[in-house]
Amino acid sequence: MIITAVPASPEVHTLGEGPVWDADRRRLLWVDIVAGAVHEGTLDGGTITPARRHDFGSTVGAVAVAAGGDLIVAERHTLTRLAPDGSRAELARVLPEDRRSRLNDGAVDPAGRFLVGSLAQDGREGEEVLARLDGAGVTYLDTDLVLSNGLAWTGGRLYSVDTMPGVVWARDYDAATGGTGPREKAFTIDDGLPDGMCADADGNLWIAIWGRGRVECRTTDGELLAVVETGATHTSCPVFAGPELDTLVITSATQDLAEPGPLDGRLFTAKVGVRGLPTPYWNPSF
């Protein structure tokens, strides 16, 4: 099945990423990593209208929202809490200050813990992390990744993307305790680079394919079920949004394109015939 996404707003992002649906406030959040910005907007049908922007002094890899409306923001090396009144406080340092890496994609687990990965900015390979902020502070699930990216939970397992080798990893994940099983390779993607990811209510994964202008729906064993074409070469991340969680919102980027086309860097929406899982709220008590 091939589905065509439609542009949802005229704004163009250098590295649009990490869309999040805040159901209680009916708002969409996303980031422009290179611009160091967190965006808020509304979703009306297939149209996204930007409403507010929060600027930071460094890259912003990901954002998530708490039930009370506070945001947790992954800056270059640290996690920051942004309150509804605009005040900010550093929560934790994930990467050393002198490390030539930055935080990248992040997401909240079903119990409210925030996970975030990293990527190298100096050509190093195999030293990047997948970290988790919980009651014990920052713990590291992985320390040997090339480019930590999309995260999704379904069927009692955590699925995580390592972009450059094209691997989707899987491990058992007990949300109640935070306990994890051994990491194993779920499947690989050979055509394009897997980027951001989310899960639907049927237990399948929706994975943005950087460099190929599409989102792929795959089973957790890797079987290809559907393709959503965006027309934006660097498609970066999907999320299910809207009151019924039946609209797939997709980000994209102009980064690394010598001559960006008219759709590159835009936000997109698509009706894909399935619903997503509710986005868990970050629990600041962890």
Side-chain angles (χ1 to χ4, degrees):
M1 179 172 64
I2 299 177
I3 302 161
T4 301
V6 297
S9 70
E11 286 74 22
V12 175
H13 301 86
T14 303
L15 185 47
E17 262 284 7
V20 174
W21 176 244
D22 178 3
D24 285 356
R25 281 155 287 271
R26 295 202 172 192
R27 64 175 170 172
L28 184 73
L29 300 107
W30 66 97
V31 304
D32 187 330
I33 295 178
V34 174
V38 173
H39 294 271
E40 299 181 25
T42 58
L43 175 64
D44 182 9
T47 300
I48 297 169
T49 303
R52 192 177 183 186
R53 171 175 170 151
H54 308 277
D55 289 300
F56 292 80
S58 65
T59 58
V60 172
V63 64
V65 60
D70 292 63
L71 304 182
I72 181 170
V73 179
E75 296 195 68
R76 184 183 177 195
H77 291 152
T78 60
L79 300 177
T80 298
R81 183 173 184 165
L82 175 61
D85 65 5
S87 61
R88 304 180 184 192
E90 182 176 313
L91 293 170
R93 174 169 292 278
V94 180
L95 301 174
E97 187 173 359
D98 61 352
R99 188 177 178 90
R100 290 282 296 163
S101 297
R102 67 163 175 81
L103 295 180
N104 195 43
D105 207 351
V108 177
D109 79 8
R113 304 174 189 86
F114 184 69
L115 280 72
V116 65
S118 70
L119 63 82
Q121 296 183 295
D122 60 1
R124 287 176 295 110
E125 292 190 0
E127 300 178 13
E128 299 312 305
V129 305
L130 175 60
R132 183 173 68 191
L133 179 65
D134 54 26
V138 176
T139 57
Y140 297 89
L141 277 63
D142 294 321
T143 59
D144 60 349
L145 304 174
V146 181
L147 197 168
S148 182
N149 226 314
L151 302 164
W153 288 261
T154 185
R157 309 199 87 195
L158 164 62
Y159 293 86
S160 58
V161 170
D162 194 355
T163 292
M164 302 314 294
V167 176
V168 178
W169 296 104
R171 73 193 83 198
D172 292 338
Y173 194 98
D174 185 339
T177 66
T180 62
R183 188 182 73 182
E184 59 188 43
K185 186 181 294 186
F187 57 90
T188 59
I189 291 178
D190 300 321
D191 184 15
L193 298 172
D195 198 328
M197 176 171 63
C198 66
D200 65 28
D202 294 334
N204 297 313
L205 302 172
W206 296 76
I207 307 167
I209 309 298
W210 181 272
R212 294 295 183 267
R214 64 178 183 260
V215 173
E216 296 180 350
C217 175
R218 292 180 177 266
T219 67
T220 54
D221 293 326
E223 179 187 354
L224 182 63
L225 302 178
V227 173
V228 181
E229 296 180 339
T230 65
T233 302
H234 290 336
T235 301
S236 55
C237 193
V239 73
F240 284 93
E244 304 301 322
L245 295 176
D246 61 351
T247 299
L248 194 68
V249 173
I250 306 164
T251 54
S252 71
T254 61
Q255 187 180 47
D256 300 331
L257 294 174
E259 296 183 8
L263 297 180
D264 293 312
R266 304 275 290 275
L267 298 176
F268 299 84
T269 56
K271 294 290 188 180
V272 296
V274 298
R275 296 186 180 185
L277 297 171
T279 302
Y281 283 113
W282 167 54
N283 184 348
S285 67
F286 272 120

